[in-house]
């Protein structure tokens, strides 16, 4: 089966299509954080109103336990909501920023949950006069839904441990991903305990607020993480059309389907792809579009670095595909300046190739690679540059004489010399984590404000 071949540089037409497409809804980071903080105040309102009536050590410990418990319960709902893959959040805040918020919030949630348990045990011991061990065992075994809450805390702690960077690197992505479903069970176990607390058991308003909060989060999860992917799979009927080898380790996968124009995918975004092939159907991995989406096909370009990505080269035409998305905020919506610099490394060129074709204004591309053969999609990039009059700088660490590139160190001085007026550019950055960290530091030293350096990573 012969797949669709992309036009090498339909730059003008692609930019025109992007311009007439209605803008997608985007939630900005600051209002989202403000809403989360306002919710935290509402969730703990009864605790603060009762503060003046607290007396004695036991009373103070019990009040601290109430406050930390309510905050922990509220944080659990927020954590699930952040990762519900709501399009407005993914497009506006950005998937990687949401993941960072989720990770930071997760650590605070476990700390609050542990503090809640310690304060509750201390208050129980102070009131009952029992020993610490006896009081702890009695509270866990006989307290209202305390055993379930203890199990929930242990499960959340286990998920946090496997999320530590050093541990994650030793695990397959698929296993790490599915272990996070334990979080749902932990929150479910903890919810029953939350309802037994004095703030919810005795207050109608707070109980209604709590039910509404969790019902909303559950609705978002069911709709966007389960029902929407199924609906889109049935609606678009994506299939592999062709697999093309771009280098010894990189392939491009072309996908066709129905009603592709309804997906609303923007250049720079990614999908989570589930290929219904033996050994691949049970996991969905994130890969960026490496060409602007159109009504005929979608394309991803992937380097084989793991089991899933390596298996893409063996996909057969006709293989069914489920795609969740589009996700990501590395799009033209972040652009604020007429001058734009795109900095890509290795296969990180994929989303930047689509942006290079479609971004309006004066666009410059810097494509970094260790070796000449890692400069993939070069013919397409050169054709796009010729059509729109853009500039490309190829930088290769190991010069072979055939690339036409040069070696450029990732320093502020070198980047300023390479890109005139760099400080007034918007910069889009994508590549291996080491390269993106070094490039970000170099760009800051070159005078580019952090708010105009746009990065999105799948390292979450």
């Amino acid at each position: 089966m012969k797949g669709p071949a992309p036009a090498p540089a339909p730059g003008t037409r692609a930019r025109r299509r992007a311009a007439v497409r209605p803008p997608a809804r985007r939630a900005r980071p600051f209002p989202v954080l403000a809403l989360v903080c306002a919710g935290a105040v509402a969730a703990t309102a009864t605790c603060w109103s009762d503060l003046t009536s607290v007396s004695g050590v036991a009373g103070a410990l019990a009040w601290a336990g109430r406050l930390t418990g309510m905050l922990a319960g509220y944080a659990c709902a927020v954590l699930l909501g952040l990762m519900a893959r709501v399009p407005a959040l993914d497009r506006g805040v950005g998937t990687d920023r949401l993941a960072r918020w989720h990770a930071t919030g997760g650590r605070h949630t476990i700390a609050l949950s542990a503090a809640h348990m310690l304060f509750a045990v201390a208050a129980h011991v102070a009131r009952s006069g029992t020993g610490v061990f006896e009081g702890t065992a009695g509270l866990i075994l006989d307290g209202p839904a305390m055993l379930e809450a203890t199990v929930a805390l242990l499960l959340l702690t286990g998920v946090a441990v496997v999320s530590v960077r050093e541990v994650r690197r030793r695990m397959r992505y698929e296993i790490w991903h599915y272990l996070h479903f334990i979080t749902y069970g932990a929150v479910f176990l903890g919810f029953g305990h939350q309802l037994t607390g004095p703030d919810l058991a005795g207050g109608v308003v707070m109980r209604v607020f709590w039910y509404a909060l969790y019902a909303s989060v559950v609705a978002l999860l069911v709709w966007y993480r389960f029902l929407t992917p199924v609906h889109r799979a049935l609606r678009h009927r994506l299939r592999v059309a062709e697999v093309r080898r771009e280098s010894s380790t990189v392939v491009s996968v072309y996908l066709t389907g129905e009603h592709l124009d309804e997906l609303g995918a923007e250049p720079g975004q990614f999908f989570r792809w589930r290929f219904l092939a033996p050994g691949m159907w049970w996991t969905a991995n994130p890969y960026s579009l490496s060409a602007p989406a159109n009504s005929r096909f979608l394309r991803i370009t992937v380097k084989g670095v793991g089991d899933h990505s390596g298996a893409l080269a063996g996909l057969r035409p006709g293989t069914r595909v489920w795609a969740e998305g589009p996700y990501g905020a590395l799009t033209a919506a972040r652009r604020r300046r007429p001058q734009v610099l795109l900095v890509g490394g290795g296969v990180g060129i994929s989303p930047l190739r689509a942006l290079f074709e479609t971004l309006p204004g004066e666009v410059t591309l810097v494509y970094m690679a260790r070796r000449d053969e890692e400069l993939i999609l070069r013919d397409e990039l050169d054709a796009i540059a010729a059509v729109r009059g853009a500039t490309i700088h190829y930088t290769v660490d190991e010069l072979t004489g055939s690339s036409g590139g040069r070696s450029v160190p990732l320093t502020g001085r070198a980047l300023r010399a390479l890109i005139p007026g760099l400080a007034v550019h918007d910069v889009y950055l994508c590549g291996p984590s080491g390269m993106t960290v070094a490039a970000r530091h170099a760009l800051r030293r070159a005078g580019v404000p952090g708010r105009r350096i746009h990065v999105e990573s799948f390292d979450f």
Side-chain angles (χ1 to χ4, degrees):
M1 178 179 178
K2 186 67 174 176
T12 303
R13 292 195 302 274
R15 289 195 297 272
R16 188 180 296 122
R17 285 196 301 269
V20 301
R21 183 179 294 131
R25 293 181 179 179
R26 291 177 169 84
R28 300 302 178 188
F30 180 78
V32 172
L33 288 177
L35 180 62
V36 170
C37 292
V41 172
T44 57
T46 54
C47 290
W48 295 109
S49 64
D50 293 342
L51 181 59
T52 56
S53 62
V54 174
S55 62
V57 174
L61 290 171
W63 181 87
R66 287 174 55 194
L67 178 65
T68 52
M70 293 296 287
L71 285 173
Y74 173 75
C76 284
V78 171
L79 291 179
L80 294 181
L82 289 177
M83 301 310 290
R85 298 177 186 169
V86 179
L89 288 176
D90 274 293
R91 292 175 183 268
V93 178
T95 305
D96 63 335
R97 182 180 289 172
L98 288 173
R100 290 195 299 270
W101 288 359
H102 179 82
T104 302
R107 291 189 289 270
H108 285 91
T109 300
I110 292 173
L112 287 168
S113 300
H116 166 65
M117 176 170 282
L118 291 174
F119 284 127
V121 168
H124 177 72
V125 170
R127 285 171 173 168
S128 64
T130 59
V132 174
F133 178 79
E134 182 182 355
T136 301
L139 184 62
I140 291 176
L141 295 175
D142 301 328
M146 276 297 294
L147 183 59
E148 292 88 340
T150 303
V151 174
L153 177 57
L154 292 175
L155 291 176
L156 288 175
T157 303
V159 172
V161 169
V162 301
S163 297
V164 174
R165 188 179 297 273
E166 289 73 17
V167 178
R168 277 188 56 189
R169 287 175 177 171
R170 299 175 181 271
M171 300 179 64
R172 293 176 59 182
Y173 171 83
E174 296 84 0
I175 296 175
W176 173 83
H177 175 74
Y178 281 107
L179 281 175
H180 273 65
F181 283 99
I182 295 174
T183 304
Y184 296 137
V187 173
F188 174 77
L189 287 173
F191 185 71
H193 172 70
Q194 295 166 29
L195 296 179
T196 64
D199 295 272
L200 299 182
V204 176
V205 174
M206 283 302 300
R207 200 174 182 88
V208 170
F209 170 81
W210 217 250
Y211 272 113
L213 172 66
Y214 272 83
S216 299
V217 171
V218 170
L220 291 175
L221 287 168
V222 171
W223 183 259
Y224 287 113
R225 297 205 65 164
F226 297 99
L227 296 181
T228 297
V230 172
H231 171 263
R232 289 194 168 182
L234 299 175
R235 173 68 173 168
H236 300 293
R237 300 183 180 277
L238 289 174
R239 295 180 181 273
V240 173
E242 184 184 359
V243 178
R244 295 186 186 176
R245 189 165 290 280
E246 305 290 352
S247 74
S248 60
T249 58
V250 178
V251 297
S252 287
V253 181
Y254 294 82
L255 306 109
T256 58
E258 301 175 7
H259 315 290
L260 298 185
D261 53 324
E262 297 177 5
L263 287 170
E266 301 177 51
Q269 290 191 306
F270 68 94
F271 288 79
R272 295 181 184 274
W273 305 91
R274 186 184 302 276
F275 296 91
L276 304 187
M280 302 182 69
W281 62 269
W282 64 293
T283 184
N285 281 26
Y287 301 122
S288 296
L289 296 175
S290 61
N294 57 60
S295 60
R296 296 183 297 117
F297 69 91
L298 305 175
R299 187 183 74 176
I300 58 175
T301 301
V302 182
K303 183 176 182 179
V305 294
D307 293 342
H308 190 276
S309 56
L312 296 181
L315 287 173
R316 295 182 178 181
T319 300
R320 291 291 300 272
V321 184
W322 284 27
E324 301 174 35
Y327 301 125
L330 194 71
T331 66
R334 286 191 171 182
R335 171 180 166 272
R336 295 293 181 269
R337 299 282 180 148
Q339 299 88 9
V340 178
L341 171 64
L342 308 177
V343 181
V347 79
I349 195 64
S350 292
L352 301 186
R353 183 266 181 232
L355 287 166
F356 189 47
E357 182 177 331
T358 57
L359 276 175
E362 179 185 333
V363 182
T364 302
L365 171 65
V366 175
Y367 188 2
M368 299 182 170
R370 289 177 298 174
R371 294 180 294 273
D372 190 27
E373 58 268 22
E374 294 183 4
L375 294 171
I376 59 173
L377 306 178
R378 182 167 180 173
D379 290 343
E380 293 182 25
L381 295 171
D382 289 338
I384 293 169
V387 168
R388 63 178 303 168
T391 301
I392 304 178
H393 299 284
Y394 296 106
T395 73
V396 182
D397 292 344
E398 300 175 11
L399 294 177
T400 62
S402 59
S403 68
R406 52 177 169 165
S407 181
V408 177
L410 269 177
T411 65
R413 177 179 298 179
L415 290 178
R416 282 197 305 269
L418 187 66
I419 312 296
L422 175 58
V424 299
H425 284 63
D426 269 310
V427 182
Y428 290 73
L429 180 59
C430 188
S433 58
M435 187 279 284
T436 55
V437 170
R440 191 180 191 116
H441 289 322
L443 289 165
R444 293 301 304 275
R445 290 193 294 270
V448 182
R451 67 181 181 278
R452 287 199 269 110
I453 303 175
H454 313 300
V455 187
E456 191 154 64
S457 168
F458 295 156
D459 189 22
F460 45 74

